[in-house]
Amino acid sequence: MRRLNRKKTLNLMKELDAFPKVPESYVETSASGGTVSLIAFTTIAFLTIMEFMVYQDTWMKYEYEVDKDFTSKLRINIDITVAMRCQYVGADVLDLAETMVASADGLIYEPVPFELTPQQKELQRMLQLIQSRLQEEHSLQDVIFKSAFKSASTALPPREDNSLQSPDACRIHGHLYVNKVAGNFHITVGKAIPHPRGHAHLAALVSHESYNFSHRIDHLSFGELIPGIINPLDGTEKIASDHNQMFQYFITVVPTKLHTYKISAETHQFSVTERERVINHAAGSHGVSGIFMKYDISSLMVTVTEEHMPFWQFLVRLCGIIGGIFSTTGILHGFGRFVAEIIFCRFRLGSYRSTSVPLPDGHTSNHLPLITDNSTH
């Protein structure tokens, strides 16, 4: 009884077989079929390798939402070298709430030579080249996000000790914590002092002939400091053409959450517009000589997430490639054989021309002769 049930079950499974087997005696191979099969296998192998490379790659997904965090502090990371002595310049931040953040809260004034060493010049040239490429190809920013912490720091290499070169500039570096409102970070003549209506700089003791706001921005960023991230102003160098010159940078800061397979950090991206002009009160160009960075905080927050193709999607795409190529090549091969047979049959029919056969009564017959077995020998 059990054997009978097994036999019925086996017969039922055979009837449900969607892949019937063809006996080998019914299979006919051909040279054209082998050629098409070889082309199909080669194409499948090539596309499989390409699909595997796509599966290994990742991409960045951007999502936007309203930034609801208004109470936390914003960190500004600064590394700027000004071509003036440290006792002549002062740096501080003044925001829209009239809150002053002095440079003494986190910035260091370091006397250094303004001229760079050959190694530092090479890194600065590389940063400027990357900046020019980023302005043309915005997709490179995704590569920089994914390579964060893997690449070397963008800071300039340390300067070799050279006692022959006297320090004629001031390197202002460090970080400040400010309110998350629009503000103005500036470097101008004289040290900043608090004032009931704002703040002021003691510039009266510095002669105008010593003004020189040529500067180099080695690094400027907002938020958490992430090594390997290149910011828009990194590597910027400006040479003043006049003693009384103002350099202005209008910055829009966008809060950014970065989530990759290497890091997860809260930082800020920013865009910048530059302007520079000579202060000449007689010509109507009013202002104060110095370097002014006016920043504004965007109300939108960007979440940048590194994504990867799921393994099931890779299998589906791979099955589609294999099945699609087999089906397509089979259709093309069948259509090619059909066309070839039509052309070959017409060629054979054309070879049997009508012949004239003489008859005993003197007439001729234009009918095709019958092909018999005897006539083929």
Side-chain angles (χ1 to χ4, degrees), residues 296-316:
D296 192 10
I297 311 297
S298 174
S299 59
L300 291 179
M301 181 176 62
V302 182
T303 302
V304 185
T305 308
E306 185 178 8
E307 292 193 342
H308 186 270
M309 181 188 297
F311 183 69
W312 65 266
Q313 187 175 354
F314 168 70
L315 291 179
V316 171

Side-chain angles (χ1 to χ4, degrees), residues 233-259:
L233 286 176
D234 292 353
T236 301
E237 184 175 273
K238 298 291 184 180
I239 304 299
S241 59
D242 191 272
H243 292 293
N244 295 328
Q245 190 156 351
M246 173 190 288
F247 296 91
Q248 292 177 305
Y249 299 92
F250 301 93
I251 299 173
T252 301
V253 182
V254 181
T256 303
K257 290 183 179 180
L258 182 62
H259 301 287

Side-chain angles (χ1 to χ4, degrees), residues 267-329:
T267 182
H268 292 72
Q269 302 179 82
F270 66 91
S271 60
V272 60
T273 303
E274 304 175 13
R275 183 191 179 193
E276 58 182 86
R277 60 188 176 93
V278 176
I279 302 301
N280 188 349
H281 299 286
S285 179
H286 304 291
V288 179
S289 303
I291 304 167
F292 297 85
M293 298 182 177
K294 299 181 178 181
Y295 59 88
D296 192 10
I297 311 297
S298 174
S299 59
L300 291 179
M301 181 176 62
V302 182
T303 302
V304 185
T305 308
E306 185 178 8
E307 292 193 342
H308 186 270
M309 181 188 297
F311 183 69
W312 65 266
Q313 187 175 354
F314 168 70
L315 291 179
V316 171
R317 291 166 65 98
L318 193 62
C319 293
I321 289 174
I322 297 175
I325 291 178
F326 267 117
S327 301
T328 304
T329 52

Side-chain angles (χ1 to χ4, degrees), residues 82-90 188-192 201-213 243-244 288-290:
V82 185
M84 292 180 66
R85 296 187 180 276
C86 291
Q87 61 266 28
Y88 296 157
V89 295
T188 187
V189 179
K191 300 300 181 181
H201 288 261
L202 293 175
L205 302 178
V206 183
S207 63
H208 286 75
E209 287 73 18
S210 61
Y211 286 13
N212 184 5
F213 284 100
H243 292 293
N244 295 328
V288 179
S289 303

